[in-house]
Amino acid sequence: MSPEDLPPVAPDVLAEAVEQLSARLRKKLDAAIAACAEHATASADGRVTVPFGEDAVVTLRPAPSGAVTHAEQAVCTCLLAPRCLHRAAVLGAAPIAEAEPPGGAAEGAARESSTEEDPAPAAGDDLVPAADAALDRAAEADLEPATGNGGTPGAEGGPVPGGGAPARTTGASAAAGVRPAAAGENAPTALTAAQVRAATALWEAAAEALSAGVTAGGAVVQAELLRAAHTARLAGLPRAEAAALRVVRGLRAARQRGEGQRLGDLASAFRELLADAALSASGVAGPGAVGSTRRVYGQGGSLRVFGLCREPVLSATGYGGVVTHVMGQDGSRYTVSDVRPGGPARARGAGTASVALGGAVLDHAGLARGGLRIVGATVSPDGRLGAGRGVSATPLRGVDWSEEPVAALFGRPVHDAVVTALDGLAQEDGDRDPGLLGCDVEVVGAAGEYLVARVTGEGPLLRLRPAHPHPELPHAANLRRISGHPGLALRILGRPDPDRAATLRPLAVGPVPGAPYTLRLPEEWLGRADLGYDRLQGSHFPREAPEAAPRGPVTAGPDALADAPLWRVRRLLETGVAGGRRALAEAGRGTDTAALLVPLRRAGLGGAAHLATALTAEADRRPRDAFGRLTDASADGYARAWLASAVHLAAAERALVLASWA
C-alpha cells in the first residue's frame, strides 16, 4: 500500500502520538515513517495492519467516517505501546484527515432544513490558488515599522506573538494588515482570551516550522503544527486551523517530492498561516479572519435563475464533481454544485448528473443552458443554492448569452470587470475564487503554452490557459483546436488568473453575435460550449478564414510581472521555505546580496529591497554568549521579517497583474 491508501488520521491523534515519544525515538521517527506504508495490508472489515518485524504489529480501526479520529483506534502489540515508535510512524505515514469530515459534501444532497449548514469545499478552492483577505488588506497597510500601538504583535515597543522581545523591524501584525478600520469599513471583531492564546501558540509553531524549512520540517515539526491547529479549532479559529493543515500537507508533499508540488504553493500557505495567526494573536481581526466551520444557508425567497456554464471540480484533496454557474434576473450570481469524494471519472460524470434542487428534473447540462424558478430558495453567503425541505424548483427556458440579464456580463470594459472579479479575493468573507469575467476576443494564435487572443475594440492581449489541465478533461484539447483558427471571434466566460499577467482561464465559449467569422454551434447548445465537458469539432468552426486573419509567428506580448525583478524576492522567500533560516541567511551573503538588491532598486522597488535586506539580516542574526550558546533562539523575529516581505511581494504582484489588463 502507498501512504495515500492508509486511512486518514485526525490531526490531534497524530500530534498526541508524537508528543508521547521520547527524545531518542523522535530522532528515528522520519526514517520509520518512510518505509512503514509499504508493508500495510487492509482487511475486509476496514482494518489496516502494518507489521514491524516479528514482535510488533500496528492495527488501525477507522471510524465509520473512514478516518482514525480517536487514539484507541490505533493500537500496537509491542511492550511500549501506546508510547511506541511503531504506532507514531504508521499514524505519521497516513494522510491528514479533513478538519471536519465533509460527509455529504455535494451541495445538491437533500438537507434536513432550509438553513442547514454545508461543509462542502467551495468550487475552485484547489483550482485557483489565491491570496486571502488578510493578505490583501496588508497590501494597503504601511509596511514600515509601526510605532506605539501597545498590544499589537510586532509593533515597535509592543509585545509580539508568543511573548517575545519587542519588534525591531516591520511587525507581523503590520505585515498582515492589522490597522484601524477606516470610515465605512467593517469594524474589527474582538477575540476571546482563549482565541488569542490559541493564535499565539499557532504563530509560534508556524514560525518554528518556517525556520526549519522543508529539509528539517519532519514529523516532529509537523506534529507541533498539528497540535497548535487542533487547539485553534477548539478555540473557534477554523480558518487558522485550515491554513495550518495546508502547510502540513505541503511540507509532506515537498519532503516526499510529490508530483505537482510547487514550492511557491507552500510559500503561499506559510504566508496565509502566519498572517492569520498574527491577526488573531493581536486580539482583534476582521469578520472573515476567524472563518466558519460550516456554511449556513439563509432564506432567499423566490428566484428566477438562468444557466451560464458548467465547471468541472477536481481537487487535490480527492474530491470531484461539477459546479453550475447561474445568474438571477437582477444580475446576482449563484452556483449549484455536486462535489463528492472521487477523481476525474467523478468530475466527468457529474456534468450530466441530476440537479438535486427542490425536485427539479434538470441535470447539470440542462441547467447550464436552461433556467429554474425556485420557491423558498436557500442561499449561502457566497451564493450557493441549497436544497432544503421547503425548496421547490420548476424548469424555465434558458437565455442566450446575448439576452439580458446575461448580456450585461459581456458589456463592461474588461479592466473594470477584472478589478471586480479579483475583488472577491480581498473580501473579508474568506472567498478564495476570482469572480467570472466575460469578454469578446479575436483569436491570434498559439504562443507556447498560451492561446493568445485580443479583446475586441483594441483591448489588451490575453493569454488563455486551460481552466484545468488534467488530460481527462477537454479544456486543453478545446483550446488547441481554437488556436488553429486565427481571426476567429469568440465570446468567452472564464476566471482571470490572479497570479499571472493578463491571463484568463476560460470555462465556456460561444459565438459573437453579428460576427461573420465565429463559432457555429448546434442549436441545442444554446450558443455556448462548456470547455470542461463539450468537445469542439471541426463542424463547429467556419470553413474559410477571413482575409485579415493574423499570419506569421505569434507572441504573447510583454509580461510586466515576469519582466519585473520581483522574481528575485520570490526566489529568496522560497529558499527560506525549502532550506529554512540557514539557507536564506547564506543566500543573503556576499555577492548574492548585490545581485538581489541592485536590480530591485533600479526598477524603483525600494520597498521590496528594504524588506529583503531586513529579512536576510534577521535570518543571519544568531546572537551568542561568551560560551557560544544562543541567547535568542526564538524564530519570532525571522517569521515577522519573512511575512512582511511575502505580503509586500503579493501586493506588488497583484498591482502588476491588474495593470496588465488595462
Side-chain angles (χ1 to χ4, degrees), residues 413-416 418-419 454-455 458-462 502 655-662:
V414 67
H415 182 263
D416 295 346
V418 77
V419 169
R454 181 177 294 279
V455 176
E458 300 301 323
L461 277 177
L462 301 185
L656 290 175
V657 168
L658 289 176
S660 69
W661 287 84

Side-chain angles (χ1 to χ4, degrees), residues 577-644:
V577 170
R581 180 173 184 165
R582 292 184 180 180
L584 196 147
E586 290 291 337
R589 292 174 183 163
T591 57
D592 291 340
T593 303
L596 169 67
L597 301 180
V598 172
L600 291 172
R601 293 193 173 112
R602 284 178 179 173
L605 298 169
H610 170 73
L611 292 172
T613 301
L615 174 58
T616 54
E618 182 63 33
D620 205 23
R621 191 186 66 82
R622 305 287 279 177
R624 299 179 183 272
D625 60 16
F627 298 98
R629 295 171 299 191
L630 284 173
T631 57
D632 182 10
S634 171
D636 186 81
Y638 170 71
R640 288 197 307 270
W642 188 94
L643 176 60

Side-chain angles (χ1 to χ4, degrees), residues 362-655:
L362 289 176
D363 58 16
H364 281 272
L367 178 58
R369 295 182 172 94
L372 286 176
R373 181 178 182 272
I374 307 173
V375 178
T378 58
V379 186
S380 72
D382 61 354
R384 293 195 185 191
L385 294 175
R389 286 180 183 171
V391 179
S392 62
T394 305
L396 295 175
R397 182 190 72 86
V399 299
D400 190 87
W401 280 359
S402 60
E403 302 177 48
E404 295 295 343
V406 180
L409 273 175
F410 304 93
R412 299 182 60 189
V414 67
H415 182 263
D416 295 346
V418 77
V419 169
T420 301
L422 294 182
D423 271 349
L425 300 176
Q427 299 303 314
E428 294 188 356
D429 59 4
D431 184 13
R432 300 180 58 83
D433 293 336
L436 296 183
L437 179 148
C439 60
D440 292 346
V441 302
E442 180 180 314
V443 174
V444 178
E449 60 180 346
Y450 301 106
L451 167 58
V452 181
R454 181 177 294 279
V455 176
T456 304
E458 300 301 323
L461 277 177
L462 301 185
R463 301 165 176 84
L464 307 183
R465 292 172 58 88
H468 204 296
H470 197 284
E472 294 191 35
L473 298 176
H475 288 286
N478 282 329
L479 289 185
R480 282 195 299 269
R481 186 173 286 274
I482 292 173
S483 67
H485 298 269
L488 183 72
L490 278 181
R491 176 159 284 186
I492 295 179
L493 186 63
R495 296 186 186 276
D497 192 326
D499 301 320
R500 298 175 184 267
T503 301
L504 185 67
R505 296 182 180 269
L507 300 179
V509 297
V512 177
Y517 188 64
T518 188
L519 288 176
R520 299 175 179 175
L521 300 179
E523 291 186 6
E524 59 270 20
W525 285 17
L526 201 64
R528 72 204 68 169
D530 295 326
L531 296 180
Y533 290 102
D534 302 320
R535 292 186 178 272
L536 295 175
Q537 307 296 332
S539 60
H540 299 152
F541 295 88
R543 295 182 180 179
E544 298 181 0
E547 296 181 359
R551 301 184 184 279
V554 176
T555 62
D559 187 338
L561 184 59
D563 296 340
L566 288 172
W567 63 268
R568 299 175 184 273
V569 180
R570 191 183 312 111
R571 185 173 65 180
L572 180 69
L573 296 171
E574 292 176 359
T575 297
V577 170
R581 180 173 184 165
R582 292 184 180 180
L584 196 147
E586 290 291 337
R589 292 174 183 163
T591 57
D592 291 340
T593 303
L596 169 67
L597 301 180
V598 172
L600 291 172
R601 293 193 173 112
R602 284 178 179 173
L605 298 169
H610 170 73
L611 292 172
T613 301
L615 174 58
T616 54
E618 182 63 33
D620 205 23
R621 191 186 66 82
R622 305 287 279 177
R624 299 179 183 272
D625 60 16
F627 298 98
R629 295 171 299 191
L630 284 173
T631 57
D632 182 10
S634 171
D636 186 81
Y638 170 71
R640 288 197 307 270
W642 188 94
L643 176 60
S645 189
V647 170
H648 184 278
L649 174 65
E653 290 180 333
R654 174 65 60 81

Side-chain angles (χ1 to χ4, degrees), residues 91-103:
L91 292 175
I96 301 297
E98 296 289 338
E100 183 172 40

Side-chain angles (χ1 to χ4, degrees), residues 246-311:
R246 282 192 290 272
V247 168
V248 172
R249 293 188 179 103
L251 284 172
R252 286 188 167 195
R255 289 176 62 83
Q256 296 168 1
R257 299 181 181 180
E259 295 182 4
Q261 170 63 27
R262 295 176 59 249
L263 195 58
D265 293 340
L266 181 55
S268 296
F270 264 113
R271 181 189 63 192
E272 178 183 345
L273 172 58
L274 290 169
D276 282 348
L279 282 168
S280 300
S282 70
V284 292
V290 173
S292 59
T293 305
R294 299 174 69 89
R295 180 173 290 101
V296 179
Y297 285 76
Q299 294 297 333
S302 296
L303 297 175
R304 294 168 66 92
V305 297
F306 304 97
L308 296 175
C309 65
R310 291 171 292 169
E311 176 184 4

